[in-house]
Amino acid sequence: RSCLHHSRRRPVRELVLNYYRRMKILADNSEDEIKKATKEANRAMMQRNITKHLLFLWRIFDAVESAGRKIKRAAKRERTSKRWNDEDELDWSVRGNSKSILKKN
């Protein structure tokens, strides 16, 4: 599956760094900066793992919310629905005021 806005994933061999090359890259940073960056990376990894493990709950929450909306919609429809009267057979108005129109005329 290819995405237009992402480059292809690199193979593991390209991601592996030699010890000396890694030390050369890290030489410009202080030990405190390295510890801080490591801590941030570990925190992000933990957050990703939490998200992965709780994904199934989000589906359940979405289903419950959807069911609640459908129930509210059905209850609202029942409250506003109007029973059919024989007297209003030819009346197409919303309120069914055919009798009142006839009485006025």
Side-chain angles (χ1 to χ4, degrees), residues 6-56:
H6 287 287
S7 60
R8 295 189 67 196
R9 189 174 180 128
R10 288 188 278 172
V12 176
R13 291 191 104 205
E14 289 182 26
L15 298 176
V16 174
L17 281 178
N18 183 333
Y19 170 82
Y20 296 103
R21 190 175 295 168
R22 188 168 52 248
M23 286 301 127
K24 186 177 178 183
I25 292 171
L26 295 176
D28 298 335
N29 301 315
S30 70
E31 196 170 320
D32 290 338
E33 289 174 336
I34 294 171
K35 283 183 181 180
K36 185 178 176 184
T38 304
K39 192 173 182 179
E40 287 177 18
N42 287 337
R43 181 178 293 133
M45 184 171 59
M46 185 179 68
Q47 289 173 343
R48 283 193 303 272
N49 286 333
I50 289 171
T51 301
K52 283 180 199 174
H53 286 87
L54 296 180
L55 274 177
F56 75 95

CSV table of all heavy atoms in Angstrom, one decimal, residues 6-56:
chain,number,residue,atom,x,y,z
A,6,HIS,N,3.8,10.0,1.9
A,6,HIS,CA,4.8,9.4,2.8
A,6,HIS,C,5.9,8.7,1.9
A,6,HIS,O,5.5,8.1,0.9
A,6,HIS,CB,4.2,8.3,3.7
A,6,HIS,CG,3.4,8.9,4.8
A,6,HIS,ND1,4.0,9.5,5.9
A,6,HIS,CD2,2.1,8.9,5.0
A,6,HIS,CE1,3.0,9.9,6.7
A,6,HIS,NE2,1.9,9.6,6.2
A,7,SER,N,7.1,8.8,2.3
A,7,SER,CA,8.1,8.0,1.6
A,7,SER,C,8.0,6.5,2.0
A,7,SER,O,7.4,6.2,3.0
A,7,SER,CB,9.5,8.6,1.9
A,7,SER,OG,9.8,8.5,3.3
A,8,ARG,N,8.7,5.7,1.3
A,8,ARG,CA,8.6,4.3,1.6
A,8,ARG,C,9.4,4.0,2.9
A,8,ARG,O,10.4,4.7,3.2
A,8,ARG,CB,9.2,3.5,0.5
A,8,ARG,CG,8.4,3.6,-0.8
A,8,ARG,CD,8.8,2.6,-1.8
A,8,ARG,NE,8.5,1.3,-1.4
A,8,ARG,CZ,9.0,0.2,-1.9
A,8,ARG,NH1,9.9,0.3,-2.9
A,8,ARG,NH2,8.7,-1.0,-1.4
A,9,ARG,N,9.0,3.0,3.6
A,9,ARG,CA,9.7,2.7,4.9
A,9,ARG,C,11.1,2.1,4.6
A,9,ARG,O,11.3,1.3,3.7
A,9,ARG,CB,8.9,1.6,5.6
A,9,ARG,CG,9.4,1.4,7.0
A,9,ARG,CD,8.5,0.5,7.7
A,9,ARG,NE,9.0,0.2,9.1
A,9,ARG,CZ,8.3,0.4,10.2
A,9,ARG,NH1,7.1,0.7,10.1
A,9,ARG,NH2,8.9,0.2,11.3
A,10,ARG,N,12.1,2.6,5.3
A,10,ARG,CA,13.5,2.2,5.1
A,10,ARG,C,13.7,0.8,5.7
A,10,ARG,O,13.2,0.5,6.7
A,10,ARG,CB,14.5,3.2,5.7
A,10,ARG,CG,14.5,4.4,4.9
A,10,ARG,CD,15.6,5.3,5.4
A,10,ARG,NE,15.2,6.1,6.5
A,10,ARG,CZ,16.0,6.8,7.3
A,10,ARG,NH1,17.3,6.9,7.0
A,10,ARG,NH2,15.5,7.4,8.3
A,11,PRO,N,14.6,0.0,5.1
A,11,PRO,CA,14.9,-1.3,5.7
A,11,PRO,C,15.7,-1.1,7.0
A,11,PRO,O,16.3,-0.1,7.2
A,11,PRO,CB,15.7,-2.0,4.6
A,11,PRO,CG,16.0,-1.1,3.5
A,11,PRO,CD,15.2,0.1,3.8
A,12,VAL,N,15.7,-2.1,7.8
A,12,VAL,CA,16.4,-2.1,9.1
A,12,VAL,C,17.9,-1.8,8.9
A,12,VAL,O,18.5,-1.1,9.7
A,12,VAL,CB,16.1,-3.4,9.9
A,12,VAL,CG1,16.9,-3.4,11.2
A,12,VAL,CG2,14.7,-3.6,10.2
A,13,ARG,N,18.5,-2.4,7.9
A,13,ARG,CA,19.9,-2.2,7.6
A,13,ARG,C,20.3,-0.7,7.5
A,13,ARG,O,21.4,-0.3,7.9
A,13,ARG,CB,20.4,-3.0,6.4
A,13,ARG,CG,20.3,-4.5,6.6
A,13,ARG,CD,21.0,-5.2,5.5
A,13,ARG,NE,22.3,-5.6,6.0
A,13,ARG,CZ,23.3,-5.9,5.3
A,13,ARG,NH1,23.3,-5.7,4.0
A,13,ARG,NH2,24.4,-6.3,5.9
A,14,GLU,N,19.4,0.1,6.9
A,14,GLU,CA,19.7,1.5,6.8
A,14,GLU,C,19.5,2.3,8.1
A,14,GLU,O,20.0,3.4,8.2
A,14,GLU,CB,18.8,2.1,5.7
A,14,GLU,CG,19.1,1.7,4.3
A,14,GLU,CD,18.3,2.3,3.3
A,14,GLU,OE1,17.7,3.4,3.5
A,14,GLU,OE2,18.1,1.7,2.2
A,15,LEU,N,18.7,1.7,9.0
A,15,LEU,CA,18.4,2.4,10.2
A,15,LEU,C,19.5,2.1,11.3
A,15,LEU,O,19.6,2.9,12.3
A,15,LEU,CB,17.1,1.9,10.8
A,15,LEU,CG,15.9,2.3,9.9
A,15,LEU,CD1,14.6,1.7,10.5
A,15,LEU,CD2,15.7,3.8,9.7
A,16,VAL,N,20.3,1.0,11.1
A,16,VAL,CA,21.3,0.7,12.1
A,16,VAL,C,22.5,1.6,11.9
A,16,VAL,O,23.0,1.9,10.8
A,16,VAL,CB,21.7,-0.8,11.9
A,16,VAL,CG1,22.9,-1.1,12.8
A,16,VAL,CG2,20.6,-1.7,12.1
A,17,LEU,N,23.0,2.1,13.1
A,17,LEU,CA,24.1,3.0,13.1
A,17,LEU,C,25.3,2.3,13.8
A,17,LEU,O,25.1,1.7,14.9
A,17,LEU,CB,23.8,4.3,13.8
A,17,LEU,CG,23.1,5.4,13.0
A,17,LEU,CD1,22.8,6.6,13.9
A,17,LEU,CD2,23.8,5.8,11.8
A,18,ASN,N,26.5,2.5,13.3
A,18,ASN,CA,27.7,2.0,13.9
A,18,ASN,C,27.9,2.8,15.2
A,18,ASN,O,27.5,3.9,15.3
A,18,ASN,CB,28.8,2.3,12.9
A,18,ASN,CG,30.2,1.8,13.4
A,18,ASN,OD1,30.4,1.7,14.6
A,18,ASN,ND2,31.0,1.6,12.4
A,19,TYR,N,28.5,2.2,16.2
A,19,TYR,CA,28.7,2.8,17.5
A,19,TYR,C,29.5,4.1,17.4
A,19,TYR,O,29.1,5.1,17.9
A,19,TYR,CB,29.5,1.8,18.4
A,19,TYR,CG,30.0,2.5,19.7
A,19,TYR,CD1,29.1,2.6,20.8
A,19,TYR,CD2,31.3,2.9,19.8
A,19,TYR,CE1,29.6,3.2,22.0
A,19,TYR,CE2,31.8,3.5,21.0
A,19,TYR,CZ,30.9,3.7,22.0
A,19,TYR,OH,31.3,4.3,23.2
A,20,TYR,N,30.5,4.1,16.6
A,20,TYR,CA,31.4,5.3,16.4
A,20,TYR,C,30.6,6.4,15.7
A,20,TYR,O,30.8,7.6,16.0
A,20,TYR,CB,32.7,4.9,15.7
A,20,TYR,CG,33.5,4.0,16.5
A,20,TYR,CD1,33.5,2.6,16.2
A,20,TYR,CD2,34.2,4.4,17.6
A,20,TYR,CE1,34.2,1.7,17.0
A,20,TYR,CE2,34.9,3.5,18.4
A,20,TYR,CZ,34.9,2.2,18.1
A,20,TYR,OH,35.6,1.3,18.9
A,21,ARG,N,29.8,6.0,14.7
A,21,ARG,CA,29.1,7.0,13.9
A,21,ARG,C,28.0,7.7,14.9
A,21,ARG,O,27.8,8.9,14.8
A,21,ARG,CB,28.4,6.4,12.7
A,21,ARG,CG,27.8,7.4,11.8
A,21,ARG,CD,27.2,6.7,10.5
A,21,ARG,NE,28.3,6.1,9.8
A,21,ARG,CZ,28.2,5.3,8.8
A,21,ARG,NH1,27.0,4.9,8.4
A,21,ARG,NH2,29.2,4.8,8.1
A,22,ARG,N,27.4,6.8,15.7
A,22,ARG,CA,26.4,7.3,16.6
A,22,ARG,C,27.0,8.3,17.7
A,22,ARG,O,26.5,9.3,18.0
A,22,ARG,CB,25.7,6.1,17.3
A,22,ARG,CG,24.5,6.5,18.2
A,22,ARG,CD,23.7,5.4,18.6
A,22,ARG,NE,24.4,4.3,19.3
A,22,ARG,CZ,24.6,3.1,18.8
A,22,ARG,NH1,24.1,2.8,17.6
A,22,ARG,NH2,25.3,2.2,19.4
A,23,MET,N,28.2,7.9,18.2
A,23,MET,CA,28.9,8.7,19.1
A,23,MET,C,29.3,10.1,18.5
A,23,MET,O,29.3,11.1,19.1
A,23,MET,CB,30.1,8.0,19.7
A,23,MET,CG,29.8,6.9,20.7
A,23,MET,SD,28.9,7.6,22.1
A,23,MET,CE,27.5,6.5,22.1
A,24,LYS,N,29.7,10.0,17.2
A,24,LYS,CA,30.0,11.3,16.5
A,24,LYS,C,28.8,12.2,16.4
A,24,LYS,O,29.0,13.4,16.6
A,24,LYS,CB,30.6,10.9,15.1
A,24,LYS,CG,31.2,12.1,14.4
A,24,LYS,CD,31.8,11.6,13.1
A,24,LYS,CE,32.3,12.8,12.3
A,24,LYS,NZ,32.8,12.5,11.0
A,25,ILE,N,27.7,11.6,16.1
A,25,ILE,CA,26.4,12.4,16.0
A,25,ILE,C,26.1,13.0,17.4
A,25,ILE,O,25.7,14.2,17.5
A,25,ILE,CB,25.3,11.6,15.5
A,25,ILE,CG1,25.6,11.2,14.0
A,25,ILE,CG2,23.9,12.3,15.6
A,25,ILE,CD1,24.6,10.2,13.4
A,26,LEU,N,26.2,12.2,18.4
A,26,LEU,CA,25.8,12.6,19.7
A,26,LEU,C,26.8,13.5,20.4
A,26,LEU,O,26.5,14.1,21.5
A,26,LEU,CB,25.5,11.4,20.6
A,26,LEU,CG,24.3,10.6,20.2
A,26,LEU,CD1,24.2,9.3,21.1
A,26,LEU,CD2,23.1,11.4,20.3
A,27,ALA,N,28.0,13.6,19.9
A,27,ALA,CA,29.1,14.4,20.5
A,27,ALA,C,28.7,15.9,20.6
A,27,ALA,O,29.2,16.6,21.6
A,27,ALA,CB,30.4,14.3,19.7
A,28,ASP,N,27.9,16.4,19.8
A,28,ASP,CA,27.5,17.8,19.8
A,28,ASP,C,26.6,18.1,20.9
A,28,ASP,O,26.4,19.3,21.3
A,28,ASP,CB,26.9,18.2,18.5
A,28,ASP,CG,27.9,18.1,17.3
A,28,ASP,OD1,29.1,18.1,17.6
A,28,ASP,OD2,27.5,17.9,16.2
A,29,ASN,N,25.9,17.1,21.5
A,29,ASN,CA,24.9,17.4,22.5
A,29,ASN,C,25.4,17.0,23.9
A,29,ASN,O,26.3,16.1,24.1
A,29,ASN,CB,23.7,16.5,22.2
A,29,ASN,CG,23.1,16.8,20.9
A,29,ASN,OD1,22.9,18.0,20.5
A,29,ASN,ND2,22.8,15.8,20.1
A,30,SER,N,24.9,17.7,24.9
A,30,SER,CA,25.4,17.4,26.3
A,30,SER,C,24.6,16.2,26.8
A,30,SER,O,23.6,15.7,26.2
A,30,SER,CB,25.0,18.6,27.2
A,30,SER,OG,23.6,18.7,27.4
A,31,GLU,N,25.1,15.6,27.9
A,31,GLU,CA,24.5,14.4,28.4
A,31,GLU,C,23.1,14.6,28.9
A,31,GLU,O,22.2,13.8,28.8
A,31,GLU,CB,25.4,13.9,29.6
A,31,GLU,CG,25.1,12.4,29.9
A,31,GLU,CD,26.1,11.9,30.9
A,31,GLU,OE1,27.3,12.1,30.7
A,31,GLU,OE2,25.7,11.2,31.8
A,32,ASP,N,22.9,15.8,29.4
A,32,ASP,CA,21.5,16.2,29.9
A,32,ASP,C,20.5,16.3,28.7
A,32,ASP,O,19.4,15.8,28.9
A,32,ASP,CB,21.5,17.5,30.6
A,32,ASP,CG,22.2,17.5,32.0
A,32,ASP,OD1,22.3,16.3,32.5
A,32,ASP,OD2,22.6,18.5,32.5
A,33,GLU,N,21.0,16.8,27.6
A,33,GLU,CA,20.1,16.9,26.4
A,33,GLU,C,19.7,15.5,25.9
A,33,GLU,O,18.6,15.2,25.5
A,33,GLU,CB,20.8,17.7,25.3
A,33,GLU,CG,20.9,19.2,25.6
A,33,GLU,CD,21.7,19.9,24.5
A,33,GLU,OE1,22.5,19.3,23.9
A,33,GLU,OE2,21.4,21.1,24.4
A,34,ILE,N,20.7,14.6,25.9
A,34,ILE,CA,20.5,13.2,25.5
A,34,ILE,C,19.5,12.5,26.4
A,34,ILE,O,18.6,11.9,25.9
A,34,ILE,CB,21.8,12.5,25.4
A,34,ILE,CG1,22.7,13.1,24.3
A,34,ILE,CG2,21.6,11.0,25.1
A,34,ILE,CD1,24.1,12.5,24.3
A,35,LYS,N,19.7,12.7,27.7
A,35,LYS,CA,18.7,12.1,28.7
A,35,LYS,C,17.3,12.6,28.5
A,35,LYS,O,16.3,11.9,28.5
A,35,LYS,CB,19.2,12.3,30.1
A,35,LYS,CG,20.3,11.5,30.6
A,35,LYS,CD,20.7,11.7,32.0
A,35,LYS,CE,21.9,10.8,32.4
A,35,LYS,NZ,22.2,11.0,33.8
A,36,LYS,N,17.2,13.9,28.3
A,36,LYS,CA,15.9,14.6,28.1
A,36,LYS,C,15.3,14.0,26.8
A,36,LYS,O,14.1,13.7,26.8
A,36,LYS,CB,16.1,16.1,28.0
A,36,LYS,CG,14.8,16.8,27.9
A,36,LYS,CD,15.0,18.3,27.9
A,36,LYS,CE,13.7,19.1,27.7
A,36,LYS,NZ,13.9,20.5,27.6
A,37,ALA,N,16.0,13.9,25.7
A,37,ALA,CA,15.5,13.4,24.5
A,37,ALA,C,15.1,12.0,24.6
A,37,ALA,O,14.0,11.5,24.1
A,37,ALA,CB,16.5,13.6,23.4
A,38,THR,N,15.9,11.2,25.3
A,38,THR,CA,15.5,9.8,25.5
A,38,THR,C,14.2,9.6,26.3
A,38,THR,O,13.4,8.8,26.0
A,38,THR,CB,16.7,9.1,26.3
A,38,THR,OG1,17.9,9.2,25.6
A,38,THR,CG2,16.4,7.6,26.5
A,39,LYS,N,14.1,10.5,27.4
A,39,LYS,CA,12.9,10.4,28.2
A,39,LYS,C,11.6,10.8,27.4
A,39,LYS,O,10.6,10.2,27.5
A,39,LYS,CB,13.1,11.4,29.4
A,39,LYS,CG,12.0,11.3,30.4
A,39,LYS,CD,12.4,12.2,31.6
A,39,LYS,CE,11.3,12.0,32.7
A,39,LYS,NZ,11.7,12.9,33.9
A,40,GLU,N,11.8,11.8,26.5
A,40,GLU,CA,10.6,12.2,25.7
A,40,GLU,C,10.3,11.1,24.7
A,40,GLU,O,9.1,10.9,24.4
A,40,GLU,CB,11.0,13.5,24.9
A,40,GLU,CG,11.0,14.7,25.7
A,40,GLU,CD,11.4,16.0,24.9
A,40,GLU,OE1,11.4,15.9,23.7
A,40,GLU,OE2,11.8,17.0,25.6
A,41,ALA,N,11.3,10.4,24.1
A,41,ALA,CA,11.0,9.4,23.2
A,41,ALA,C,10.3,8.2,23.9
A,41,ALA,O,9.4,7.6,23.3
A,41,ALA,CB,12.3,8.9,22.6
A,42,ASN,N,10.8,7.9,25.1
A,42,ASN,CA,10.1,6.8,25.9
A,42,ASN,C,8.7,7.1,26.2
A,42,ASN,O,7.8,6.3,26.2
A,42,ASN,CB,10.9,6.5,27.1
A,42,ASN,CG,12.2,5.7,26.8
A,42,ASN,OD1,12.4,5.1,25.8
A,42,ASN,ND2,13.2,5.9,27.7
A,43,ARG,N,8.4,8.4,26.6
A,43,ARG,CA,7.1,8.8,26.9
A,43,ARG,C,6.2,8.7,25.7
A,43,ARG,O,5.0,8.2,25.7
A,43,ARG,CB,7.1,10.3,27.4
A,43,ARG,CG,5.7,10.8,27.8
A,43,ARG,CD,5.7,12.2,28.3
A,43,ARG,NE,6.4,12.2,29.6
A,43,ARG,CZ,7.3,13.1,29.9
A,43,ARG,NH1,7.7,14.1,29.0
A,43,ARG,NH2,7.9,13.1,31.1
A,44,ALA,N,6.7,9.1,24.5
A,44,ALA,CA,5.9,9.0,23.3
A,44,ALA,C,5.6,7.6,22.9
A,44,ALA,O,4.5,7.2,22.5
A,44,ALA,CB,6.6,9.7,22.1
A,45,MET,N,6.6,6.7,23.1
A,45,MET,CA,6.4,5.3,22.9
A,45,MET,C,5.3,4.7,23.8
A,45,MET,O,4.5,3.9,23.4
A,45,MET,CB,7.7,4.5,23.0
A,45,MET,CG,7.6,3.1,22.7
A,45,MET,SD,9.2,2.2,22.6
A,45,MET,CE,9.8,2.5,24.3
A,46,MET,N,5.3,5.1,25.1
A,46,MET,CA,4.4,4.6,26.0
A,46,MET,C,3.0,5.1,25.6
A,46,MET,O,2.0,4.3,25.7
A,46,MET,CB,4.7,5.1,27.4
A,46,MET,CG,3.8,4.5,28.5
A,46,MET,SD,4.2,5.1,30.2
A,46,MET,CE,3.8,6.8,30.1
A,47,GLN,N,2.8,6.3,25.2
A,47,GLN,CA,1.5,6.9,24.8
A,47,GLN,C,1.0,6.1,23.6
A,47,GLN,O,-0.2,5.9,23.5
A,47,GLN,CB,1.6,8.4,24.5
A,47,GLN,CG,1.8,9.2,25.8
A,47,GLN,CD,2.1,10.7,25.5
A,47,GLN,OE1,2.5,11.0,24.4
A,47,GLN,NE2,1.9,11.5,26.5
A,48,ARG,N,1.9,5.8,22.6
A,48,ARG,CA,1.5,5.0,21.5
A,48,ARG,C,0.9,3.7,21.9
A,48,ARG,O,-0.1,3.2,21.3
A,48,ARG,CB,2.6,4.9,20.5
A,48,ARG,CG,2.8,6.2,19.6
A,48,ARG,CD,3.7,5.9,18.5
A,48,ARG,NE,5.0,5.3,18.8
A,48,ARG,CZ,6.1,6.0,19.2
A,48,ARG,NH1,6.1,7.3,19.1
A,48,ARG,NH2,7.2,5.4,19.5
A,49,ASN,N,1.7,3.0,22.8
A,49,ASN,CA,1.2,1.7,23.3
A,49,ASN,C,-0.1,1.8,24.0
A,49,ASN,O,-1.0,0.9,23.8
A,49,ASN,CB,2.3,1.1,24.2
A,49,ASN,CG,3.5,0.6,23.5
A,49,ASN,OD1,3.4,0.3,22.3
A,49,ASN,ND2,4.6,0.6,24.1
A,50,ILE,N,-0.3,2.8,24.8
A,50,ILE,CA,-1.6,3.0,25.5
A,50,ILE,C,-2.7,3.1,24.4
A,50,ILE,O,-3.8,2.5,24.5
A,50,ILE,CB,-1.6,4.2,26.4
A,50,ILE,CG1,-0.7,3.8,27.6
A,50,ILE,CG2,-3.0,4.5,26.9
A,50,ILE,CD1,-0.4,5.0,28.5
A,51,THR,N,-2.5,3.9,23.4
A,51,THR,CA,-3.4,4.2,22.3
A,51,THR,C,-3.8,2.9,21.6
A,51,THR,O,-4.9,2.5,21.4
A,51,THR,CB,-2.9,5.2,21.3
A,51,THR,OG1,-2.7,6.4,22.0
A,51,THR,CG2,-3.9,5.4,20.2
A,52,LYS,N,-2.7,2.1,21.3
A,52,LYS,CA,-3.0,0.8,20.6
A,52,LYS,C,-3.8,-0.1,21.4
A,52,LYS,O,-4.7,-0.8,20.9
A,52,LYS,CB,-1.6,0.1,20.3
A,52,LYS,CG,-0.8,0.7,19.2
A,52,LYS,CD,0.5,-0.1,19.1
A,52,LYS,CE,1.5,0.6,18.3
A,52,LYS,NZ,2.8,-0.1,18.3
A,53,HIS,N,-3.6,-0.2,22.7
A,53,HIS,CA,-4.3,-1.1,23.6
A,53,HIS,C,-5.7,-0.7,23.9
A,53,HIS,O,-6.6,-1.5,24.2
A,53,HIS,CB,-3.5,-1.4,24.9
A,53,HIS,CG,-2.3,-2.2,24.7
A,53,HIS,ND1,-1.1,-1.7,24.3
A,53,HIS,CD2,-2.1,-3.5,24.8
A,53,HIS,CE1,-0.2,-2.7,24.2
A,53,HIS,NE2,-0.8,-3.8,24.5
A,54,LEU,N,-6.0,0.6,23.7
A,54,LEU,CA,-7.4,1.1,24.1
A,54,LEU,C,-8.2,1.4,22.8
A,54,LEU,O,-9.3,1.8,23.0
A,54,LEU,CB,-7.3,2.4,24.9
A,54,LEU,CG,-6.6,2.2,26.3
A,54,LEU,CD1,-6.6,3.5,27.0
A,54,LEU,CD2,-7.3,1.2,27.1
A,55,LEU,N,-7.7,1.0,21.6
A,55,LEU,CA,-8.5,1.3,20.4
A,55,LEU,C,-9.8,0.6,20.4
A,55,LEU,O,-10.8,1.1,20.0
A,55,LEU,CB,-7.7,0.8,19.2
A,55,LEU,CG,-6.7,1.8,18.6
A,55,LEU,CD1,-5.9,1.2,17.5
A,55,LEU,CD2,-7.4,3.1,18.2
A,56,PHE,N,-9.9,-0.6,20.9
A,56,PHE,CA,-11.2,-1.4,20.9
A,56,PHE,C,-12.2,-0.7,21.7
A,56,PHE,O,-13.4,-0.7,21.4
A,56,PHE,CB,-11.0,-2.8,21.3
A,56,PHE,CG,-10.8,-3.0,22.8
A,56,PHE,CD1,-11.9,-3.3,23.6
A,56,PHE,CD2,-9.5,-2.8,23.4
A,56,PHE,CE1,-11.7,-3.5,25.0
A,56,PHE,CE2,-9.3,-3.0,24.8
A,56,PHE,CZ,-10.4,-3.3,25.6
